[in-house]
Amino acid sequence: MKIRKPGLSFWQIWNMNVGFFGIQFSFGLQQTAINPIFSFLGAHHEELPLLNLAGPVTGLLVQPIIGAISDKTWSPRWGRRKPFFLIGAIVASLCLFAFPFSSHLWFAVGLLWILDAANNTAMEPYRAFVGDKLPDNQLTYGFQMQSLFVGAGITLANFSLFLFQDWFSVSSGSGSLCTTTTEMVSAIPTWVYYSFFLGAVASMGTILWSVIKTPEIPPSEAELAQIRNEDKEKSFIQRIFGPVLEIVRAIGNMPKLLWRLSAVYFFQWYALFVYWQFITPMLRTGLFGINSIDIERFESIMAACNSGGVIGTGDLSFAKNIQSLSEQALAQTGLMNGTYNLVTMVVALALVPLARKYSSKLVYVLSLMLTGVAMLSMPYISDQYVLLLPMILFGIGWAAMMGIPYAMVSKVIPEEKRGVYMGIVNMMIVIPMLIQTVSFGFIIKNVLDNDAINAILFGGVFFIIAAILAIRLKIPEDA
């Protein structure tokens, strides 16, 4: 049964969505900095997909379960959704503070698992929270406002990486490659720390702002009685497995729109994961000229360095140069990702009238097509500033992806099942990512010649396929 909800003002919708800034700052660091950090700590190209297994696995397990639990939760003091994204923000902030201190690859990977679990605990209830508060005629506006803060958080995360590298990076000519005080490709550069510290503060601060500024809509007496009665009637085992059964039943009754959207999402999110993992390796190769022979030579120098061997002046100079170019590639990734998210901020709300005039589906299809064109063009551009042009197209696509599908889905799902269905939408995101992490290592090594440039082209083709499949989406009432 649909609940009549009052319309919210601009500032009420703004305050409700502010917390997405902090959550997405954290995701922005994951998108841009995590894979280069893995590379700094010794990971190879073909290992990167599997090292990113944390995101899809925690998303698959955590978001739908938390969503189902939050549907059945109510506290007069804390609300329904707020306890979950507040706990998630606290844990995520602690992980962000700790991440730059990773001295070994296994430690960084372990922290990524905890960080992803925390972000997913916060993310799903937050999306449901937005849907809970808004009437149908404000859903598109509310979710596009969410998209604006998604862009803002990731923009600042990426620009902080670009600027901190410029301001605080140690030059390749200073220090000794074999000392612990020197920034080197096998250890995390000091300037990366500052972005993670900033992210920890943003994650906690913005979530608190939304929690304090936005009250939740309390359940009706009938709904509250139903929640209490279900708790009394269920055994301990039923309470443990109840959310899982709730998810299974919801999938069985899933509207046809969601089934068709799942096909679009497979290609869309597989391609996005490819982009986030391989944009920095592509830049190292295509823009800064580091090839596989250079990497092998660098690794042999570092192995000798770490074992206490004597390093010649020429090898030392070569290794420092590779270190410097690798850091520049990471900073360029920050600039590019920051640019597309800045575009997302600018166009997110502008897409609302376009969706109303021309239909949400058409805007979504064209946005996916533009993103595919952007990825297909990147490897052929050799100027670091011209590379920002395709990021404009990418930003338009990202703005649509982070808002329009959620507005579509909110139109066709039951009000009382909003939490579990938003969790299922997230399953449709993380399952393609999970498949990518276990399949793409083989694909890039055996099909794509272990070349990051080919990986980016592969992702572009997948976006075009997603756009074609999105034409099949049928929305009963345009969102």
Side-chain angles (χ1 to χ4, degrees), residues 333-352:
T333 301
L335 180 61
M336 291 170 64
N337 287 355
T339 299
Y340 87 70
N341 282 285
L342 181 62
V343 172
T344 295
M345 287 175 56
V346 173
V347 305
L349 296 183
L351 293 180
V352 176

Side-chain angles (χ1 to χ4, degrees), residues 172 177-178 294 296-302 304-305 309-323:
S172 61
L177 191 70
C178 297
D294 293 331
E296 289 176 7
R297 182 182 172 190
F298 175 83
E299 289 175 349
S300 67
I301 294 169
M302 290 308 303
C305 178
V310 177
I311 310 298
T313 303
D315 284 341
L316 188 63
S317 176
F318 171 83
K320 285 183 177 181
N321 184 53
I322 295 297
Q323 156 70 16

Side-chain angles (χ1 to χ4, degrees), residues 108-244:
V109 172
L111 271 179
L112 179 60
W113 279 83
I114 301 172
L115 177 61
D116 263 318
N119 279 330
N120 281 298
T121 298
M123 177 62 71
E124 192 287 325
Y126 211 143
R127 292 201 193 280
F129 175 63
V130 173
D132 289 343
K133 292 282 293 180
L134 295 172
D136 280 357
N137 65 343
Q138 287 189 313
L139 282 172
T140 299
Y141 187 76
F143 281 110
Q144 285 306 119
M145 180 74 80
Q146 172 184 301
S147 183
L148 182 150
F149 279 105
V150 167
I154 302 178
T155 296
L156 185 57
N158 283 284
F159 282 161
S160 72
L161 289 166
F162 174 75
L163 293 173
F164 292 164
Q165 191 273 340
D166 183 58
W167 295 343
F168 304 118
S169 179
V170 176
S171 67
S172 61
S174 64
S176 169
L177 191 70
C178 297
T179 65
T180 57
T181 58
T182 303
E183 298 179 29
M184 50 194 173
V185 178
S186 61
I188 301 170
T190 304
W191 52 269
V192 174
Y193 287 42
Y194 309 140
S195 290
F196 277 81
F197 295 161
L198 185 59
V201 173
S203 179
M204 194 68 253
T206 58
I207 287 287
L208 279 175
W209 179 274
S210 290
V211 167
I212 293 168
K213 289 287 187 178
T214 309
E216 294 199 63
I217 298 175
S220 65
E221 289 298 324
E223 187 181 3
L224 195 56
Q226 182 182 3
I227 292 172
R228 288 169 177 166
N229 289 335
E230 285 183 1
D231 285 342
K232 290 178 181 177
E233 294 169 2
K234 289 179 180 178
S235 67
F236 177 75
I237 297 297
Q238 287 175 321
R239 290 182 187 180
I240 294 295
F241 291 101
V244 178

